[in-house]
């Protein structure tokens, strides 16, 4: 519990109406089904960077943890106050500080939603390519703090590739600005890059400078269906080797297609599906079409050409459709070198079989990123425990294949025992030294991101 003195100080900084007590909606994020829930001592909703700085300074003086919170859509429990303390919610900081469409750039406050960034770009003939799945609720600050990805990260990279500058409040309460409204910067170490993906453990991101590109004129999605993972993964390697830069190259294994494929905008969906998309000028897309089809066609059972908007809208619902099969699911977003995709996809199903759990995976095939999933009855505690064991085996398989335990959802509190499984002690120590340099008191989202 925080003391009355700190409570008074926080109310004086943000106004009593923006200091909330233990609020249910701030007790969890999208990892609730994994049992991550904690009541914060208080929730503050600052409206300016200066208020954020004062809140952090006050918490630092009292030695109280600060847990930055964006839209609360994270899958790793990162925005949950599992060590107590104050949840610092950025939801009031939604301003656009500057927008220069002709120079392809914007400075936005951290609380602006992902969808609003995408919309503003689109309305001005531009593209903000990061496309994580919860764009209506997630915030740009949360996307930067998790380095969120999505289907189009294959061509365009994850969120961090679109961030040229970060304004943040450090644990000391100091306001820092790393990078700026320029596209290249090699002076000093890349502290901007360190903030990207730092999951609230190095500071509170209060604003970000983003870059855009002109919106591609045309997009051509293609769905190819294969008998199994081996044939589909071979097609992924042919696409990568063909010299075409596909904008997206996602997959759904046969069990995912069985669970979610009924509404897929193609005639009839069975087997392993690849979702490839080309984008660019209309002429460029047409030119690349033949090469893409030549790479996809060998061993394909069928090829389809859905409408782009329809396909990606359906794709956003895949996770929910899989969860609906048995009422719940346990998913881990591991990543492996792309040449091991088929082995990993089949490995997940085999691990599920050994644990008596229906299993499936889908994800970003070109990036080697799998959402390895066990479908569970969430009320059956023995089953939930078996799924946790199965997830442990997925991590072990990922190690064996030379991959990593998280490709995009982050480590948070859920995966900290598994982070850096292949790092040396020295590599772990370097990571801890970075944390210590930014946050010697360990008040910034403690017990998250790094190994205990
Ligand atoms: C339906 C659904 C689909 C999803 N699809 C994807 C996907 O395709 N790709 C993907 O990568 N993720 C996906 N996610 C996960 C999630 O949306 C992303 O991780 C997102 O970037 C989290 O943003 P948020 O604003 O909700 O952050 P939160 O959940 O609030 O926080 C996430 C982490 O970032 C920190 N944080 C948040 N804001 C700040 C800030 N301003 N300063 C410092 N630290 C901060 C928190 O402390 C926490 O550690 C999905 C989630 C859902 C529910």
């Amino acid at each position: 519990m925080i003391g009355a003195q700190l409570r008074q100080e926080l109310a004086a900084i943000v106004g009593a109406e923006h200091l909330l007590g233990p609020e249910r909606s701030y007790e969890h994020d999208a990892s609730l089904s994994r049992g991550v829930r904690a009541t914060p001592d208080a929730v503050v909703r600052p409206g300016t960077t200066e208020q954020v700085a004062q809140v952090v300074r006050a918490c630092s003086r009292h030695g109280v943890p600060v847990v930055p919170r964006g839209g609360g859509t994270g899958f790793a429990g990162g925005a949950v106050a599992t060590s107590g303390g104050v949840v610092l919610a950025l939801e009031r900081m939604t301003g656009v500080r500057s927008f220069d469409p002709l120079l392809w750039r914007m400075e936005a406050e951290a609380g602006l939603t992902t969808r609003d960034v995408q919309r503003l770009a689109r309305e001005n003939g531009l593209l903000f390519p990061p496309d994580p799945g919860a764009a209506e609720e997630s915030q740009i600050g949360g996307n930067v703090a998790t380095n969120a990805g999505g289907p189009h990260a294959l061509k365009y990279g994850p969120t961090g590739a679109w961030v040229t500058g970060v304004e943040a409040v450090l644990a000391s309460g100091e306001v820092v600005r790393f990078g700026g409204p320029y596209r290249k910067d090699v002076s000093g170490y890349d502290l901007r890059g360190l903030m990207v993906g730092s999951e609230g453990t190095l500071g509170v991101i209060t604003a970000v400078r983003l870059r855009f590109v002109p919106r591609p004129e045309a997009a051509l999605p293609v769905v190819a269906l294969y008998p199994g993972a081996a044939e589909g993964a071979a097609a992924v390697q042919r696409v990568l080797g063909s010299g075409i830069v596909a904008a997206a190259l996602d997959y759904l294994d046969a069990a995912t297609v069985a669970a979610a494929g009924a509404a897929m905008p193609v005639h009839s969906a069975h087997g392993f599906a690849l979702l490839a998309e080309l984008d660019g000028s209309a002429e460029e897309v047409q030119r690349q079409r033949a090469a893409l089809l030549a790479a996809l066609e060998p061993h394909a059972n069928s090829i389809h050409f859905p409408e782009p908007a329809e396909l990606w809208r359906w794709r956003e619902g895949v996770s929910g459709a899989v969860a609906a099969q048995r009422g719940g699911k346990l998913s881990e977003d591991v990543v492996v070198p792309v040449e091991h995709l088929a082995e990993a996809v089949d490995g997940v199903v085999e691990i599920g079989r050994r644990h008596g759990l229906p299993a499936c995976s889908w994800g970003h095939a070109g990036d080697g990123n799998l959402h390895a999933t066990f479908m569970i009855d969430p009320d059956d505690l023995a089953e939930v425990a078996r799924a946790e064991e199965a997830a442990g085996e997925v991590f072990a398989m990922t190690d064996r294949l030379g991959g990593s335990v998280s490709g995009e959802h982050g480590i948070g509190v859920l995966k900290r025992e598994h982070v850096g499984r292949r790092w040396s002690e020295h590599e772990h120590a370097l990571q801890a030294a970075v944390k210590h340099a930014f946050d010697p008191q360990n008040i910034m989202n403690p017990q998250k991101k790094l190994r205990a």
Side-chain angles (χ1 to χ4, degrees), residues 30 68-75 78-79 90 110 131-134 138-139 141-143 145-146 148-150 199-200 203-205 408-409 445:
R69 184 180 177 95
T73 67
F75 276 133
L90 278 301
D131 53 351
S138 70
Q139 299 175 2
N143 295 160
T146 54
E199 298 184 44
V204 184
I205 296 168
E408 53 180 25
H409 295 161
N445 214 0

Side-chain angles (χ1 to χ4, degrees), residues 123-254:
E123 287 170 0
N124 287 276
L126 297 170
L127 175 71
F128 181 64
D131 53 351
E136 299 289 345
E137 300 90 34
S138 70
Q139 299 175 2
I140 191 64
N143 295 160
V144 175
T146 54
N147 198 12
H152 293 85
L154 176 66
K155 176 172 178 179
Y156 294 103
T159 303
W162 300 89
V163 177
T164 66
V166 170
E167 177 190 271
V169 172
L170 302 187
S172 59
E174 275 163 293
V175 180
V176 292
R177 293 182 183 84
F178 303 137
Y182 32 80
R183 299 160 66 91
K184 297 167 81 178
D185 182 11
V186 292
S187 49
Y189 297 112
D190 183 6
L191 300 183
R192 174 212 59 88
L194 266 183
M195 296 306 292
V196 171
S198 59
E199 298 184 44
T201 61
L202 300 184
V204 184
I205 296 168
T206 47
V208 291
R209 290 187 180 272
L210 304 172
R211 68 185 185 91
F212 304 113
V213 281
R215 193 164 191 79
E217 183 186 6
L220 175 75
V222 181
V223 173
L225 293 161
Y226 299 89
E231 294 84 358
V236 170
Q237 292 199 38
R238 281 195 303 274
V239 173
L240 293 176
S242 69
I244 315 162
V245 186
L249 192 50
D250 268 22
Y251 83 95
L252 295 85
D253 79 347

Side-chain angles (χ1 to χ4, degrees), residues 25 82 97 201 204 258 293 383 390 404 428 430:
S25 52
T82 46
R97 290 186 181 170
T201 61
V204 184
L293 291 180
E383 199 166 280
S404 160
H428 277 285
L430 278 174

Side-chain angles (χ1 to χ4, degrees), residues 111-394:
L112 194 65
T113 65
T114 315
R115 188 65 90 217
D116 279 340
V117 174
Q118 293 167 337
R119 180 182 53 75
L120 285 165
R122 190 178 55 248
E123 287 170 0
N124 287 276
L126 297 170
L127 175 71
F128 181 64
D131 53 351
E136 299 289 345
E137 300 90 34
S138 70
Q139 299 175 2
I140 191 64
N143 295 160
V144 175
T146 54
N147 198 12
H152 293 85
L154 176 66
K155 176 172 178 179
Y156 294 103
T159 303
W162 300 89
V163 177
T164 66
V166 170
E167 177 190 271
V169 172
L170 302 187
S172 59
E174 275 163 293
V175 180
V176 292
R177 293 182 183 84
F178 303 137
Y182 32 80
R183 299 160 66 91
K184 297 167 81 178
D185 182 11
V186 292
S187 49
Y189 297 112
D190 183 6
L191 300 183
R192 174 212 59 88
L194 266 183
M195 296 306 292
V196 171
S198 59
E199 298 184 44
T201 61
L202 300 184
V204 184
I205 296 168
T206 47
V208 291
R209 290 187 180 272
L210 304 172
R211 68 185 185 91
F212 304 113
V213 281
R215 193 164 191 79
E217 183 186 6
L220 175 75
V222 181
V223 173
L225 293 161
Y226 299 89
E231 294 84 358
V236 170
Q237 292 199 38
R238 281 195 303 274
V239 173
L240 293 176
S242 69
I244 315 162
V245 186
L249 192 50
D250 268 22
Y251 83 95
L252 295 85
D253 79 347
T256 309
V257 170
M264 196 196 288
V266 301
H267 281 320
S268 139
H270 297 285
F272 181 101
L274 272 189
L275 280 47
E277 184 168 86
L278 295 171
D279 71 1
S281 69
E283 183 271 328
E284 226 177 328
V285 166
Q286 278 315 313
R287 191 161 35 79
Q288 296 191 4
R289 184 179 190 271
L292 177 66
L293 291 180
L296 291 177
E297 270 165 4
H299 307 291
N301 288 335
S302 58
I303 304 263
H304 309 262
F305 300 92
E307 280 300 310
E310 241 185 294
L311 179 70
W312 295 116
R313 203 175 319 114
W314 164 80
R315 168 66 181 81
E316 282 189 5
V318 165
S319 172
V322 169
Q325 296 298 301
R326 303 202 57 234
K329 66 176 173 62
L330 188 151
S331 259
E332 295 293 358
D333 81 312
V334 295
V335 61
V336 297
V338 68
E339 66 273 26
H340 295 307
L341 182 69
E343 206 177 335
V345 169
D346 287 339
V348 171
V349 175
E350 169 56 21
I351 291 169
R353 196 191 54 72
R354 265 191 278 113
H355 288 270
L357 296 168
C360 65
S361 71
W362 67 96
H364 312 306
D367 290 329
N369 190 186
L370 293 81
H371 300 312
T373 300
F374 302 101
M375 294 176 251
I376 51 173
D377 169 357
D379 297 326
D380 182 339
L381 296 184
E383 199 166 280
V384 173
R386 288 209 308 281
E388 292 287 354
E389 264 177 49
E393 287 186 26
V394 169

